[in-house]
Amino acid sequence: MYKLLTASVALLISFHCLPTPSQNSPSMLPVTDGDAYRSSHHAFAAPVILLDVGHGGIDGGTSAQGVLEKDINLAISQKVYLLLRSKGYAVIINRLGDYALSDENRWLKSRSRHTRDLAQRKSLSEEVSTDIVVSIHANWSPRSGAHGPVVLHQKEGRSYLLAQSIQDAMNKLFGTEHGVVWGKPFYLLNYVKQPAVIVETGFLSNAEDRARMSDPAEQKRIAQSIANGIIYYLSVV
């Protein structure tokens, strides 16, 4: 509870630095995470966006030169969250601090922490009336020249359109021409029923990408491009 309250206060302070929605904005959740939402039974009047923050806690994800993926994911996801809320969108974020979602899964009897983590992410998308799921990660490659954003999608039309909208916005920022990728082996994309995508915001193995993703100002630009892609998708689908 303490870690949730501390993170919530910090995020609220950041939120007040952004423009506030008008009085006619759709009903919003207070700044919270998935567990708090499940007890609120809040009814939304607009599409609900679930931001899935990759890794956390004991699971650092990939890394390079001391930069951990879990930290990059959280920093960018929080900025996407605040930007979307400032535009009046209903958004839920499933991790506000550096902890593993597997620790919150007390219902699945599995000895695998990884399995409990993935199941917890999928479960929230089912318990909340979610319209789209956007999972935010950072990439890695043995080729140091590999760089730029890559968005993975389900084998489903709306997921493809969501991925393409985000990919187009991020390509403009990075100056790349990457296409979207079918994320065939990824658990989240196989088991989440709603349109879902995985956004790989750049390659930690690439020095230029790593510097960009580690810079708070650049993180905000990355977050803005992700938010722009989401907003464009919701405006046309």
Side-chain angles (χ1 to χ4, degrees):
M1 178 61 72
Y2 176 77
K3 67 184 178 184
L4 175 58
L5 289 174
T6 303
S8 297
V9 170
L11 202 53
L12 274 170
I13 292 172
S14 299
F15 176 60
H16 287 308
C17 296
L18 292 169
T20 54
S22 69
Q23 292 182 348
N24 294 324
S25 297
S27 182
M28 294 286 103
L29 264 182
V31 176
T32 184
D33 68 1
D35 278 355
Y37 172 82
R38 278 191 283 269
S39 63
S40 72
H41 304 291
H42 192 93
F44 288 97
V48 179
I49 303 159
L50 172 58
L51 294 179
D52 173 64
V53 187
H55 306 285
I58 193 174
D59 178 9
T62 191
S63 64
Q65 301 297 313
V67 179
L68 300 179
E69 180 189 358
K70 65 176 182 177
D71 298 330
I72 299 299
N73 297 343
L74 181 60
I76 292 174
S77 296
Q78 287 180 334
K79 290 174 175 62
V80 175
Y81 177 88
L82 294 173
L83 287 164
L84 288 171
R85 279 184 60 92
S86 75
K87 296 295 185 181
Y89 288 91
V91 194
I92 299 165
I93 188 168
N94 64 4
R95 178 164 74 83
L96 287 173
D98 183 19
Y99 50 89
L101 293 184
S102 56
D103 296 339
E104 299 178 349
N105 188 332
R106 302 176 182 89
W107 52 271
L108 183 64
K109 303 302 180 182
S110 171
R111 299 178 65 180
S112 168
R113 184 208 58 77
H114 185 60
T115 298
R116 295 197 309 274
D117 179 275
L118 293 172
Q120 183 73 5
R121 296 172 189 275
K122 170 179 174 288
S123 174
L124 181 58
S125 73
E126 295 174 340
E127 295 183 33
V128 176
S129 182
T130 306
D131 290 88
I132 61 172
V133 178
V134 178
S135 185
I136 296 179
H137 288 260
N139 220 334
W140 189 91
S141 171
R143 297 184 298 106
S144 62
H147 72 101
V150 178
V151 186
L152 298 94
H153 61 87
Q154 300 159 307
K155 194 176 183 180
E156 194 267 347
R158 292 168 301 168
S159 172
Y160 175 84
L161 291 174
L162 174 59
Q164 191 66 64
S165 296
I166 297 173
Q167 184 73 64
D168 287 346
M170 297 192 74
N171 279 343
K172 290 178 183 177
L173 174 63
F174 278 75
T176 53
E177 298 181 353
H178 296 325
V180 297
V181 177
W182 174 27
K184 182 178 180 180
F186 291 91
Y187 178 98
L188 191 73
L189 299 182
N190 284 322
Y191 290 100
V192 168
K193 296 178 181 178
Q194 298 85 357
V197 297
I198 295 174
V199 181
E200 301 280 3
T201 55
F203 285 81
L204 287 180
S205 48
N206 178 269
E208 184 177 348
D209 279 7
R210 186 170 61 250
R212 183 195 292 266
M213 292 188 290
S214 301
D215 181 338
E218 290 299 312
Q219 289 172 354
K220 186 171 182 179
R221 294 180 69 197
I222 293 170
Q224 185 68 71
S225 66
I226 295 171
N228 288 346
I230 293 171
I231 291 169
Y232 179 77
Y233 166 84
L234 292 174
S235 71
V236 299
V237 172

